[in-house]
Amino acid sequence: MTTAFILVALALIVIFAGPTLLFICIGYADYMLERRKHLIALKHAVKRRSDEL
């Protein structure tokens, strides 16, 4: 009985918070991709600059 209650509670949480959780996951993934692009750009800039010296 307890397992069924827990599963129902989790299902309700996923149903009602699903869109919010999805937006959070997509936003975090987008943030990580932008951060990665920025770090790659910095890495190339530092490499270019050290090649000039």
Coordinates of all heavy atoms in Angstrom, one line a residue:
M1 N 0.8 -1.2 0.0 CA 0.0 0.0 0.0 C 0.9 1.3 0.0 O 0.6 2.2 -0.7 CB -0.9 0.0 1.2 CG -1.9 1.1 1.3 SD -3.1 0.9 0.0 CE -4.0 2.3 0.2
T2 N 1.9 1.2 0.8 CA 2.8 2.4 0.8 C 3.5 2.6 -0.5 O 3.6 3.8 -0.9 CB 3.9 2.2 1.9 OG1 3.3 1.9 3.2 CG2 4.8 3.4 2.1
T3 N 3.9 1.6 -1.2 CA 4.5 1.7 -2.5 C 3.6 2.3 -3.5 O 4.0 3.2 -4.3 CB 5.0 0.3 -3.0 OG1 5.8 -0.3 -2.0 CG2 5.7 0.4 -4.3
A4 N 2.3 1.9 -3.5 CA 1.3 2.5 -4.4 C 1.1 3.9 -4.1 O 1.0 4.7 -5.0 CB 0.0 1.7 -4.2
F5 N 1.1 4.3 -2.8 CA 0.9 5.7 -2.5 C 2.1 6.5 -3.0 O 1.9 7.6 -3.5 CB 0.8 5.9 -0.9 CG 0.7 7.3 -0.5 CD1 -0.4 8.0 -0.7 CD2 1.8 7.9 0.1 CE1 -0.5 9.3 -0.3 CE2 1.7 9.2 0.6 CZ 0.6 9.9 0.4
I6 N 3.3 6.0 -2.8 CA 4.5 6.7 -3.3 C 4.5 6.9 -4.8 O 4.8 7.9 -5.3 CB 5.8 6.0 -2.8 CG1 5.9 6.1 -1.3 CG2 7.0 6.5 -3.5 CD1 7.0 5.3 -0.7
L7 N 4.1 5.8 -5.5 CA 4.1 5.9 -7.0 C 3.0 6.9 -7.4 O 3.2 7.6 -8.4 CB 3.8 4.5 -7.5 CG 4.9 3.5 -7.4 CD1 4.5 2.1 -7.9 CD2 6.2 4.0 -8.1
V8 N 1.9 6.9 -6.8 CA 0.8 7.9 -7.1 C 1.3 9.3 -6.9 O 1.1 10.2 -7.7 CB -0.5 7.5 -6.4 CG1 -1.5 8.7 -6.5 CG2 -1.1 6.2 -6.9
A9 N 1.9 9.5 -5.7 CA 2.4 10.8 -5.4 C 3.5 11.3 -6.4 O 3.5 12.4 -6.9 CB 3.0 10.8 -4.0
L10 N 4.4 10.4 -6.8 CA 5.4 10.7 -7.8 C 4.8 11.0 -9.1 O 5.2 11.9 -9.8 CB 6.4 9.6 -7.9 CG 7.4 9.5 -6.8 CD1 8.3 8.2 -7.0 CD2 8.3 10.7 -6.7
A11 N 3.8 10.2 -9.5 CA 3.1 10.5 -10.8 C 2.4 11.9 -10.8 O 2.5 12.6 -11.7 CB 2.0 9.4 -11.0
L12 N 1.8 12.2 -9.7 CA 1.1 13.5 -9.6 C 2.1 14.7 -9.6 O 1.9 15.7 -10.3 CB 0.3 13.6 -8.3 CG -1.0 12.8 -8.2 CD1 -1.6 12.9 -6.8 CD2 -1.9 13.3 -9.3
I13 N 3.3 14.5 -9.0 CA 4.3 15.5 -9.0 C 4.8 15.7 -10.5 O 5.0 16.8 -11.0 CB 5.5 15.1 -8.1 CG1 5.0 15.3 -6.6 CG2 6.7 16.0 -8.4 CD1 6.0 14.7 -5.6
V14 N 5.1 14.5 -11.2 CA 5.6 14.6 -12.5 C 4.5 15.2 -13.5 O 4.8 16.1 -14.3 CB 6.0 13.2 -13.0 CG1 6.2 13.2 -14.5 CG2 7.2 12.7 -12.3
I15 N 3.2 14.9 -13.2 CA 2.2 15.5 -14.1 C 2.1 17.0 -13.9 O 2.0 17.7 -14.9 CB 0.8 14.8 -13.8 CG1 0.8 13.3 -14.3 CG2 -0.3 15.6 -14.4 CD1 -0.3 12.5 -13.9
F16 N 2.1 17.4 -12.7 CA 1.8 18.9 -12.4 C 3.1 19.7 -12.6 O 3.1 20.9 -12.9 CB 1.2 19.1 -11.0 CG -0.2 18.6 -10.9 CD1 -0.6 17.6 -10.1 CD2 -1.2 19.3 -11.7 CE1 -1.9 17.2 -10.1 CE2 -2.5 18.9 -11.6 CZ -2.8 17.8 -10.8
A17 N 4.3 19.1 -12.3 CA 5.5 19.8 -12.4 C 6.3 19.5 -13.7 O 7.4 20.0 -13.9 CB 6.4 19.6 -11.2
G18 N 5.7 18.6 -14.5 CA 6.4 18.2 -15.7 C 6.9 19.4 -16.6 O 8.1 19.4 -17.0
P19 N 6.0 20.3 -17.0 CA 6.4 21.4 -17.9 C 7.5 22.3 -17.2 O 8.5 22.7 -17.9 CB 5.1 22.2 -18.1 CG 4.0 21.2 -17.9 CD 4.5 20.3 -16.8
T20 N 7.4 22.5 -15.9 CA 8.4 23.3 -15.2 C 9.7 22.6 -15.2 O 10.7 23.2 -15.5 CB 7.9 23.6 -13.8 OG1 6.6 24.2 -13.8 CG2 8.9 24.5 -13.1
L21 N 9.7 21.3 -14.9 CA 10.9 20.5 -14.9 C 11.6 20.5 -16.3 O 12.8 20.6 -16.4 CB 10.7 19.1 -14.4 CG 10.3 19.0 -12.9 CD1 9.9 17.5 -12.6 CD2 11.4 19.4 -12.0
L22 N 10.7 20.4 -17.3 CA 11.2 20.4 -18.7 C 11.9 21.7 -19.0 O 13.0 21.8 -19.6 CB 10.1 20.1 -19.7 CG 10.4 20.0 -21.1 CD1 11.3 18.8 -21.3 CD2 9.2 19.9 -22.0
F23 N 11.3 22.8 -18.7 CA 11.8 24.1 -18.9 C 13.2 24.3 -18.2 O 14.1 24.9 -18.7 CB 10.9 25.3 -18.5 CG 9.7 25.4 -19.5 CD1 8.5 25.6 -19.0 CD2 9.9 25.4 -20.8 CE1 7.4 25.7 -19.8 CE2 8.8 25.5 -21.7 CZ 7.6 25.7 -21.2
I24 N 13.2 23.8 -16.9 CA 14.5 23.9 -16.2 C 15.6 23.1 -16.8 O 16.7 23.6 -17.0 CB 14.2 23.4 -14.7 CG1 13.4 24.5 -14.0 CG2 15.5 23.2 -14.0 CD1 12.9 24.0 -12.6
C25 N 15.3 21.9 -17.3 CA 16.3 21.1 -17.9 C 16.8 21.7 -19.2 O 18.0 21.7 -19.5 CB 15.7 19.7 -18.2 SG 15.5 18.7 -16.7
I26 N 15.8 22.2 -20.0 CA 16.2 22.8 -21.3 C 17.0 24.1 -21.1 O 18.0 24.3 -21.7 CB 15.0 23.1 -22.2 CG1 14.3 21.8 -22.6 CG2 15.3 24.0 -23.3 CD1 13.0 22.0 -23.3
G27 N 16.6 24.9 -20.1 CA 17.4 26.1 -19.7 C 18.8 25.8 -19.3 O 19.7 26.5 -19.7
Y28 N 18.9 24.7 -18.5 CA 20.2 24.4 -18.0 C 21.1 23.9 -19.1 O 22.3 24.2 -19.2 CB 20.1 23.3 -16.9 CG 21.4 23.0 -16.2 CD1 22.1 23.9 -15.4 CD2 22.0 21.7 -16.5 CE1 23.3 23.5 -14.9 CE2 23.2 21.4 -15.9 CZ 23.9 22.3 -15.1 OH 25.1 22.0 -14.6
A29 N 20.5 23.1 -20.0 CA 21.3 22.5 -21.1 C 21.8 23.7 -22.0 O 22.9 23.7 -22.5 CB 20.5 21.6 -21.9
D30 N 20.9 24.7 -22.3 CA 21.2 25.8 -23.1 C 22.3 26.6 -22.4 O 23.3 27.1 -23.1 CB 20.0 26.7 -23.3 CG 20.3 27.9 -24.2 OD1 20.8 27.7 -25.3 OD2 20.0 29.0 -23.8
Y31 N 22.2 26.8 -21.1 CA 23.3 27.5 -20.3 C 24.6 26.8 -20.5 O 25.7 27.5 -20.7 CB 22.9 27.6 -18.9 CG 24.0 28.0 -18.0 CD1 24.4 29.4 -17.9 CD2 24.6 27.1 -17.1 CE1 25.5 29.7 -17.1 CE2 25.6 27.5 -16.3 CZ 26.0 28.8 -16.3 OH 27.1 29.1 -15.4
M32 N 24.6 25.5 -20.3 CA 25.9 24.7 -20.4 C 26.5 24.8 -21.8 O 27.7 25.0 -22.0 CB 25.6 23.3 -20.0 CG 25.4 23.1 -18.6 SD 26.7 23.7 -17.5 CE 28.0 22.6 -17.8
L33 N 25.7 24.8 -22.9 CA 26.2 24.9 -24.2 C 26.8 26.3 -24.5 O 27.8 26.4 -25.1 CB 25.1 24.6 -25.2 CG 24.6 23.1 -25.3 CD1 23.4 23.0 -26.2 CD2 25.8 22.3 -25.8
E34 N 26.1 27.3 -24.0 CA 26.6 28.7 -24.2 C 27.9 28.8 -23.4 O 28.9 29.5 -23.9 CB 25.6 29.7 -23.7 CG 24.4 29.8 -24.6 CD 24.8 30.4 -26.0 OE1 25.7 31.3 -26.1 OE2 24.2 29.9 -26.9
R35 N 28.0 28.3 -22.2 CA 29.2 28.4 -21.4 C 30.4 27.7 -22.1 O 31.5 28.1 -22.1 CB 28.9 27.8 -20.0 CG 30.1 28.0 -19.1 CD 29.6 27.6 -17.7 NE 30.8 27.2 -16.9 CZ 30.8 26.5 -15.9 NH1 29.7 26.0 -15.4 NH2 32.0 26.2 -15.3
R36 N 30.0 26.5 -22.7 CA 31.1 25.7 -23.4 C 31.6 26.5 -24.6 O 32.8 26.5 -24.8 CB 30.4 24.4 -23.8 CG 31.4 23.4 -24.4 CD 30.8 22.1 -24.6 NE 31.7 21.2 -25.2 CZ 31.5 20.7 -26.4 NH1 30.4 20.9 -27.0 NH2 32.4 19.9 -27.0
K37 N 30.7 27.1 -25.3 CA 31.1 27.9 -26.5 C 32.0 29.0 -26.1 O 33.0 29.4 -26.7 CB 29.9 28.5 -27.2 CG 29.3 27.5 -28.2 CD 28.4 28.2 -29.2 CE 27.0 28.4 -28.6 NZ 26.1 28.9 -29.6
H38 N 31.6 29.7 -25.0 CA 32.4 30.8 -24.5 C 33.8 30.3 -24.0 O 34.8 31.0 -24.3 CB 31.7 31.5 -23.3 CG 32.4 32.6 -22.7 ND1 32.6 33.8 -23.3 CD2 33.0 32.7 -21.5 CE1 33.3 34.6 -22.5 NE2 33.6 34.0 -21.4
L39 N 33.9 29.2 -23.3 CA 35.2 28.7 -22.9 C 36.0 28.3 -24.1 O 37.3 28.5 -24.1 CB 35.0 27.5 -21.9 CG 34.4 27.9 -20.6 CD1 34.2 26.6 -19.8 CD2 35.4 28.8 -19.8
I40 N 35.4 27.7 -25.1 CA 36.2 27.3 -26.3 C 36.7 28.6 -27.0 O 37.9 28.6 -27.5 CB 35.3 26.5 -27.3 CG1 35.1 25.1 -26.7 CG2 36.0 26.4 -28.6 CD1 34.1 24.2 -27.4
A41 N 35.9 29.6 -27.1 CA 36.4 30.9 -27.7 C 37.5 31.5 -26.9 O 38.5 32.0 -27.5 CB 35.2 31.9 -27.8
L42 N 37.4 31.4 -25.6 CA 38.5 31.9 -24.7 C 39.8 31.1 -25.0 O 40.9 31.6 -25.0 CB 38.2 31.9 -23.3 CG 37.3 33.0 -22.7 CD1 36.9 32.7 -21.3 CD2 37.9 34.3 -22.9
K43 N 39.6 29.8 -25.1 CA 40.8 28.9 -25.3 C 41.5 29.2 -26.6 O 42.7 29.3 -26.6 CB 40.3 27.5 -25.2 CG 41.4 26.4 -25.3 CD 40.7 25.0 -25.2 CE 41.7 24.0 -25.6 NZ 41.1 22.7 -25.6
H44 N 40.7 29.5 -27.6 CA 41.3 29.8 -28.9 C 42.0 31.2 -28.9 O 43.0 31.4 -29.5 CB 40.2 29.7 -30.0 CG 39.8 28.4 -30.4 ND1 40.7 27.4 -30.7 CD2 38.6 27.8 -30.5 CE1 40.0 26.2 -30.9 NE2 38.8 26.5 -30.8
A45 N 41.4 32.1 -28.2 CA 41.9 33.4 -28.1 C 43.3 33.4 -27.3 O 44.3 34.0 -27.8 CB 41.0 34.4 -27.4
V46 N 43.3 32.6 -26.3 CA 44.6 32.5 -25.5 C 45.6 31.8 -26.4 O 46.8 32.2 -26.4 CB 44.4 31.7 -24.2 CG1 45.7 31.3 -23.5 CG2 43.5 32.6 -23.2
K47 N 45.2 30.8 -27.1 CA 46.2 30.1 -27.9 C 46.7 31.0 -29.0 O 47.9 31.0 -29.3 CB 45.5 28.9 -28.6 CG 46.4 28.0 -29.3 CD 45.7 26.7 -29.8 CE 46.7 25.8 -30.5 NZ 46.0 24.6 -31.0
R48 N 45.8 31.8 -29.7 CA 46.2 32.7 -30.7 C 47.2 33.8 -30.1 O 48.2 34.1 -30.8 CB 45.0 33.4 -31.3 CG 44.8 33.3 -32.7 CD 43.7 34.0 -33.3 NE 42.9 34.9 -32.5 CZ 41.6 34.5 -32.1 NH1 41.1 33.4 -32.4 NH2 41.0 35.3 -31.3
R49 N 46.9 34.2 -29.0 CA 47.7 35.3 -28.4 C 49.1 34.7 -28.0 O 50.1 35.4 -28.2 CB 47.0 35.8 -27.1 CG 47.8 36.9 -26.5 CD 46.9 37.8 -25.8 NE 47.7 39.0 -25.3 CZ 47.2 40.1 -24.9 NH1 45.9 40.2 -24.9 NH2 47.9 41.0 -24.5
S50 N 49.1 33.5 -27.5 CA 50.4 32.9 -27.1 C 51.3 32.6 -28.4 O 52.5 32.6 -28.3 CB 50.3 31.7 -26.3 OG 49.6 30.7 -27.0
D51 N 50.6 32.3 -29.5 CA 51.3 32.1 -30.7 C 52.0 33.4 -31.3 O 53.0 33.3 -31.9 CB 50.4 31.5 -31.8 CG 50.0 30.1 -31.5 OD1 50.7 29.4 -30.7 OD2 49.0 29.6 -32.1
E52 N 51.3 34.5 -31.0 CA 51.9 35.8 -31.4 C 53.1 36.2 -30.7 O 54.0 36.8 -31.2 CB 50.8 36.9 -31.2 CG 49.6 36.8 -32.2 CD 48.6 37.8 -31.9 OE1 48.8 38.7 -30.9 OE2 47.5 37.8 -32.5
L53 N 53.3 35.7 -29.4 CA 54.4 36.1 -28.6 C 55.6 35.3 -29.0 O 56.2 34.8 -29.6 CB 54.1 35.9 -27.1 CG 53.0 36.8 -26.6 CD1 52.7 36.5 -25.1 CD2 53.4 38.3 -26.7

